[in-house]
Amino acid sequence: MAKRFSKGLLFFAIALALLGTATWQTWNWWLITTAPSASSSAQADAKPINLRVAPGTSAQEIGQDLATLGLIRSARAWSLWTRWTTFQDAKGGFQAGTYQLSKTQSLPEIANTIWSGNVTQLSFTIPEGWSMGEMAQYFEQQGFFSAKDFLAAADRVSVAQYPWLPATSPVPGFPRLEGYLFPDTYQIASPVQPDAVIQQMLDRFEQVALPIYQQQKDSTSLTLAQWVNLASIVEKEAVVPEERNRIAGVFTNRLRKEMPLASDPTVEYAFGIKQTPDRPLLYREVETPHPYNTYVNSGLPPAAIASPGKASLEATLNPENTDYLYFVARYDGTHVFSRTLAEHQTAQNAIHDQRDATKSSTQ
């Protein structure tokens, strides 16, 4: 009787163990092959979620990040999958980069995406008139790389690759590529590297801007560097498109007469100032000597102060034939143009009086 009981108990224990193993394997297979949020709405599940895999991240760390984002049901399921499948023995590894995933994907689908390095194409937009300092801060805020790394990468660009670039910075402490990083919207693969971004922007300048100059260089006295330089000032001064060629005409006249350009944006660039209607430039600022200060220096500044767009580059080669020598900004983006200093001062006073009257009426 005892023997029969022992055999029965042993049979029961074996059966229970087999059942447990099967149940455990079934449970883990369910964790692995199904999407993590079957109970939530399909629309919410399909919403893209970005996962950034830094270089050197282990498979275990990736699994933990996926679980934290709710992209897989458990980090243990990820660990089991990477051990059971060919990932463990296959050549290669999980690739660094940014991936756009969703909760509708199963664990194997997510694993294959990261293993194959199918990274997300990221985009960035550089507006016309941005300086390299503004670009550097933008890339840092977007989480691409640090501002410092961006500016350092710009210094590494070889003139042998882009022979039309300046070889050195015209003024110590100011970037030599200022004006040549073409403003546009770009697509780039993740992970984003500053050298790749700069190369892409220089290539776009070569494709879009250089042909404009090459087609008209015989009809202008401006060198390539002078053209980019002046176009950058036109870009910063012109707010409404219809005034762009006229502003270029004013600066062309002043250069011809060897008058200081007296451009506020050059002072802002020189001293890192951002003026506003309530905080205009001060007399002591415009009178402070600096290579980029076009109030105290005649002619163009040492180099560009921003990246001009195509319209400003074209306007600089096709300035309006005008006898205007001055302009002053209204507070709506347009300007009052004048032929003489007396007219200019009258226009300035009228605009300042209008500004003061508007402020008084709103207080």
Side-chain angles (χ1 to χ4, degrees):
M1 183 71 179
K3 289 182 180 180
R4 284 199 300 270
F5 178 79
S6 297
K7 289 180 180 179
L9 185 60
L10 179 61
F11 175 79
F12 178 76
I14 292 172
L16 186 62
L18 291 173
L19 179 61
T21 300
T23 302
W24 173 249
Q25 290 177 340
T26 302
W27 170 251
N28 278 303
W29 188 254
W30 179 78
L31 284 173
I32 291 169
T33 58
T34 59
S37 301
S39 60
S40 60
S41 68
Q43 185 176 3
D45 287 352
K47 184 179 179 180
I49 298 174
N50 287 331
L51 170 73
R52 184 176 184 276
V53 178
T57 304
S58 67
Q60 182 179 1
E61 290 171 327
I62 293 173
Q64 291 169 349
D65 291 340
L66 289 168
T68 300
L69 292 171
L71 288 164
I72 60 175
R73 292 185 178 276
S74 77
R76 175 162 179 77
W78 172 270
S79 179
L80 289 170
W81 173 258
T82 55
R83 291 178 182 178
W84 289 350
T85 63
T86 56
F87 287 130
Q88 188 68 20
D89 301 320
K91 294 181 180 179
F94 292 110
Q95 304 296 308
T98 298
Y99 298 87
Q100 197 168 79
L101 307 168
S102 77
K103 295 180 181 180
T104 59
Q105 295 175 281
S106 66
L107 188 150
E109 290 171 336
I110 290 173
N112 278 308
T113 297
I114 303 173
W115 186 271
S116 62
N118 188 16
V119 295
T120 302
Q121 284 286 324
L122 300 176
S123 68
F124 64 91
T125 299
I126 302 300
E128 292 89 349
W130 267 15
S131 68
M132 287 183 62
E134 290 173 305
M135 296 178 199
Q137 292 301 317
Y138 166 78
F139 287 121
E140 184 167 285
Q141 291 165 4
Q142 293 295 308
F144 288 175
F145 37 73
S146 72
K148 181 180 178 181
D149 287 347
F150 173 76
L151 296 174
D155 285 340
R156 292 194 295 267
V157 173
S158 170
V159 179
Q161 185 177 2
Y162 301 101
W164 40 267
L165 282 175
T168 58
S169 172
V171 177
F174 287 80
R176 68 184 177 94
L177 299 191
E178 193 76 86
Y180 298 99
L181 302 182
F182 196 75
D184 208 340
T185 295
Y186 296 86
Q187 300 289 327
I188 194 164
S190 171
V192 184
Q193 300 297 329
D195 299 85
V197 165
I198 290 169
Q199 181 175 338
Q200 197 171 19
M201 296 175 74
L202 288 174
D203 288 345
R204 189 68 54 87
F205 184 96
E206 199 169 63
Q207 295 162 4
V208 178
L210 272 186
I212 296 173
Y213 179 75
Q214 290 166 347
Q215 290 166 11
Q216 299 189 54
K217 65 180 180 180
D218 293 334
S219 61
T220 181
S221 61
L222 297 171
T223 66
L224 175 67
Q226 291 171 336
W227 170 58
V228 175
N229 189 338
L230 181 55
S232 74
I233 300 174
V234 172
E235 184 67 64
K236 296 296 290 185
E237 293 278 16
V239 178
V240 295
E242 54 268 26
E243 291 186 353
R244 204 180 303 271
N245 291 73
R246 180 167 295 179
I247 289 174
V250 171
F251 286 135
T252 299
N253 288 343
R254 294 180 74 90
L255 287 172
R256 187 180 299 119
K257 293 178 178 291
E258 297 184 352
M259 298 172 63
L261 295 182
S263 172
D264 286 4
T266 64
V267 180
E268 294 180 77
Y269 184 78
F271 302 114
I273 302 168
K274 182 67 174 178
Q275 68 171 328
T276 66
D278 294 322
R279 199 287 188 198
L281 291 178
L282 305 175
Y283 284 114
R284 63 176 174 80
E285 291 167 343
V286 298
E287 292 173 353
T288 301
H290 191 283
Y292 279 90
N293 187 344
T294 57
Y295 276 90
V296 299
N297 304 313
S298 297
L300 290 166
I305 60 173
S307 283
K310 183 180 178 182
S312 292
L313 290 165
E314 290 175 333
T316 303
L317 290 176
N318 300 281
E320 183 177 306
N321 185 13
T322 179
D323 53 359
Y324 290 128
L325 289 171
Y326 305 88
F327 59 88
V328 59
R330 296 188 180 98
Y331 292 102
D332 61 359
T334 63
H335 296 81
V336 177
F337 294 84
S338 303
R339 295 171 177 82
T340 67
L341 181 58
E343 289 178 0
H344 180 57
Q345 290 173 336
T346 299
Q348 284 182 314
N349 292 336
I351 291 172
H352 292 160
D353 290 345
Q354 182 183 5
R355 173 68 177 172
D356 291 341
T358 302
K359 288 177 65 177
S360 298
S361 65
T362 58
Q363 289 177 351

